[in-house]
Each structure stands twice: as structure tokens, then as C-alpha cells.
Amino acid sequence: MIIVLKQGANEVEIQEIKERLVQEGFKVHFSQGVERTIIGAVGDQSRLKELDLEALPWVEKVVPILAPYKLVSREFQPADTVIKIGEHEIGGAQIHVMAGPCSVESRSQILETAHAVREAGATFLRGGAFKPRTSPYAFQGLEEEGLKLLAEAREETGLAIITEVVDVRDVKLVASYADILQIGARNMQNFNLLKEVAKIDKPVLLKRGPSATLEEWMMAAEYILNGGNNQVMFCERGIRTFENYTRNTLDLSMVPALHALSHLPVIVDPSHGTGRWQLVAPMAKAAIAAGADGLIVEVHPQPDKALSDGKQSLTLPNFQEMMTELDRIARAIERPILKEGER
Ligand code: PEP
Ligand code: MN
């Protein structure tokens, strides 16, 4: 349930209500709006009657949240979550483009890509260091060496870094290098991993499972918020359908659906969402038009030589061209993507 306090409720009053809730076994979360405080209380709703919160003079109303997700819901927090990472804000006015190879393969590959995507206007460098693949015989990633190369690229270019963590045992290690931790589609319901990233003070990008419903996906995010980390962004990356021309079916309807139901930012991955580089720019444009707060796109200096996902990777010139096209759409919806000098 959410408890909306009257305007001007003071600290002592807020604390008193918190204590009452905790005594009754509720887990309490605060959402401090500009005008008023909202308290989210998760627990046994049947205790509600006894608490008789509406009798308190500084309580405006008590509203049960009927959906199974609570903390991620718009009801709990009406204002958009804006995630601050250095000078960047995800979920704010600017659209962010995260770009880079599927996997970090070598020093020259990641540095060349980093310089090119930064030049084109990307603000984050992506690259997988831990790559469990469909086949156990395929390239599995450079692991910590890959994280070090990403950190070197950040040092050289100023780009922030997003990389995937796949194992509970690696969360601290990956968090010590990355600016955003990526939870991959296949791990969306790895609840132990979700609980572990909930404990760290780094933003998390939560990809949609290949066959997850919207509600399952939101419940996965709920795990992370409930565990204490509210810096979470969703990432639509396509779902498994009967269509096999594309690798996945990019479900762009999730962008406005998530914005309606949740306050968390939404990122779109048109690379895994289509599996074909020719479809990436058109779907990236559509994603921005649909209201996405950012994109994550695979880019490789030589896609035909890539150790993973070459078929869906843009070349450096193709990425540059896509950014110019995206800028037109971004400006039309008054959400800048490139700064004046980059245009
Ligand atoms: C990736 O980003 O390279 C990746 C493995 O994505 P997904 O988890 O969406 O398949
Ligand atoms: Mn990939």
C-alpha cells in the first residue's frame, strides 16, 4: 500500500508512522516528491485495518497497490526516476546512446571502437567481458582482462562503461570497474543475482528475458529495488516469437507500457532485438520516437571478424550515420542526443 502524507508533514510525524509500520512487520520505503512524501509499505495487508492510518492527522490517504509490483510502480513514485552517472542523467531530458562491441576482444578493438563511438556522440561504451554463450565451445570472453581494457578505454575517452555480470561471485569485481551493471536476458529471473546487484551502489540495466511477460520483468526489477538498489533501468531487447527472419521480435510497445506503469527509465537494444545490422538504425529511430530514454547498440570495427554477434553489429561509419539520423528525431521530440559541437 502507499500512504500519502499531507503537505508539510514533518520529520517527527514521518518517523512515528514509520515505526508503527515496522512494528507491524511492514517493510517501509520512502518516495520524497517535491510537494509531499509518499510512504510505500510492503507487508501483510490484513494488518491495515488495525493500524487505522487514515485516522492520523497528517495522513491524506492510504491506497492499496493492487498490482504485484510495488516499488517500481508509478503509483508508488509518480515522478520519473533519473539515474545520475557522473555528468550523465538517464531518464532525464537527454537520450543516451550506449555503443560498443558485443564482446571485448582485444585492446586495439575496444580502443578503436571507443574513440569512434564517442566521436559520433555516444556517452557510454558497452562491451561484454563475461560471455557465457549458447555453445560452450564459442568464445567465452576475456573476463577481468576485458574489464581492465574497458577501464582503459574510459580513461582515454571519458566514456562511461556498461558491462554484463553473469555470476553472483563476480558482482563486486564487475562493480569495481563498471558504471552500469548489465543483467543479461537469460539471467532476468536469476533471483540470487538480482539480490546481489541489489546490494551494490551502482546502476543496473535489466534486460527483458527472451520469453518474459511485462509483469515478470517488472517483478524482477522489484527484487532489485526491494533489496535496496533503486537505480534500475529496463532494457527491451526482443522476445522469442514464431518469426525467425529476425533473431528476436523487438517489442517496442513495452516502451510506452513501461513508462505508464513504472517510473524507471527504459532503454532499447535494437541489435539483439533484430539480429540484423540492416534493421538496427530503423528500429533505433522507432525506439526514440516511442519514448525510449536511451539505446544500447552493438558496433564493431570489423563485424565480419567479430567473435560474437557480428551479423547484428554496425560498422563504425554506419554507427556515425545512424547517430546523425537519430539526432533529427531526437530534436523533433525535444530530447537532445548530440551536443551542438557533435552535430
Ligand atoms: C549482450 O548484450 O551482448 C547480450 C548477451 O544481450 P542479451 O542478454 O540481451 O542476449
Ligand atoms: Mn551481443
Side-chain angles (χ1 to χ4, degrees):
M1 78 184 138
I2 55 177
I3 302 134
V4 183
L5 302 188
K6 287 191 177 146
Q7 237 168 329
N10 69 33
E11 238 350 273
V12 179
E13 292 158 346
I14 294 174
Q15 274 314 312
E16 194 183 322
I17 196 162
K18 180 182 168 185
E19 274 158 32
R20 277 204 203 196
L21 287 162
V22 171
Q23 259 172 23
E24 290 297 323
F26 283 90
K27 205 162 174 187
V28 179
H29 302 262
F30 288 94
S31 164
Q32 193 75 55
V34 189
E35 297 203 333
R36 58 189 75 216
T37 303
I38 295 178
I39 301 177
V42 184
D44 181 2
Q45 304 282 315
S46 66
R47 317 281 310 163
L48 233 126
K49 253 209 165 99
E50 279 164 54
L51 275 167
D52 195 19
L53 296 169
E54 268 169 342
L56 296 174
W58 54 89
V59 171
E60 183 165 305
K61 58 180 173 185
V62 177
V63 190
I65 302 182
L66 298 176
Y69 41 84
K70 316 283 179 200
L71 306 176
V72 307
S73 74
R74 273 257 181 235
E75 285 157 303
F76 173 60
Q77 184 185 308
D80 288 342
T81 284
V82 176
I83 300 175
K84 294 195 174 62
I85 302 162
E87 59 176 4
H88 306 307
E89 290 189 345
I90 297 182
Q94 199 192 340
I95 291 168
H96 287 275
V97 178
M98 309 169 183
C102 180
S103 309
V104 182
E105 297 169 5
S106 69
R107 188 165 180 275
S108 60
Q109 174 241 23
I110 197 70
L111 290 180
E112 184 183 353
T113 311
H115 282 285
V117 300
R118 195 195 75 119
E119 206 53 34
T123 40
F124 286 77
L125 176 66
R126 64 146 288 149
F130 294 88
K131 297 297 302 182
R133 307 282 299 288
T134 304
S135 162
Y137 309 117
F139 175 62
Q140 302 281 314
L142 297 181
E143 305 188 344
E144 190 170 1
E145 184 51 31
L147 297 175
K148 288 191 173 141
L149 294 173
L150 286 168
E152 188 180 341
R154 170 174 53 203
E155 195 68 27
E156 273 204 16
T157 59
L159 289 168
I161 282 167
I162 170 163
T163 193
E164 183 174 349
V165 60
V166 297
D167 193 309
V168 170
R169 293 166 294 186
D170 296 327
V171 169
K172 286 206 174 80
L173 174 77
V174 177
S176 72
Y177 288 94
D179 298 294
I180 302 178
L181 299 188
Q182 176 177 327
I183 300 289
R186 288 157 201 79
N187 272 321
M188 188 203 84
Q189 283 186 318
N190 180 340
F191 298 117
N192 287 331
L193 186 59
L194 300 179
K195 285 183 198 164
E196 208 57 31
V197 297
K199 292 186 205 148
I200 55 156
D201 186 23
K202 282 274 163 89
V204 176
L205 176 139
L206 178 64
K207 287 199 155 192
R208 182 183 189 183
S211 58
T213 63
L214 172 60
E215 190 169 298
E216 287 162 344
W217 191 13
M218 290 179 78
M219 290 309 284
E222 188 81 10
Y223 263 87
I224 308 176
L225 271 76
N226 187 44
N229 186 350
N230 51 21
Q231 303 178 84
V232 176
M233 59 199 96
F234 291 105
C235 177
E236 164 62 36
R237 48 77 72 201
I239 47 172
R240 179 72 60 97
T241 68
F242 57 83
E243 181 54 71
N244 59 11
Y245 176 74
T246 44
R247 181 179 179 181
N248 291 293
T249 297
L250 187 67
D251 183 5
L252 286 181
S253 65
M254 287 298 111
V255 178
L258 282 166
H259 280 319
L261 298 174
S262 175
H263 51 86
L264 298 173
V266 184
I267 309 296
V268 170
D269 175 347
S271 308
H272 294 86
T274 61
R276 292 174 178 258
W277 72 265
Q278 297 90 335
L279 306 183
V280 169
M283 294 314 276
K285 286 191 267 186
I288 287 192
D293 299 292
L295 298 167
I296 181 162
V297 179
E298 288 186 341
V299 180
H300 195 287
Q302 290 173 290
D304 52 338
K305 301 234 163 63
L307 297 181
S308 59
D309 289 350
K311 263 177 65 184
Q312 66 193 37
S313 298
L314 297 178
T315 60
L316 307 179
N318 283 343
F319 178 71
Q320 163 80 58
E321 196 180 315
M322 179 190 82
M323 290 296 279
T324 309
E325 291 173 16
L326 286 179
D327 184 47
R328 289 199 201 108
I329 309 225
R331 273 190 287 166
I333 57 167
E334 292 175 5
R335 294 190 76 184
I337 190 167
L338 297 180
K339 300 196 186 87
E340 273 316 313
E342 291 165 343
R343 206 158 271 148

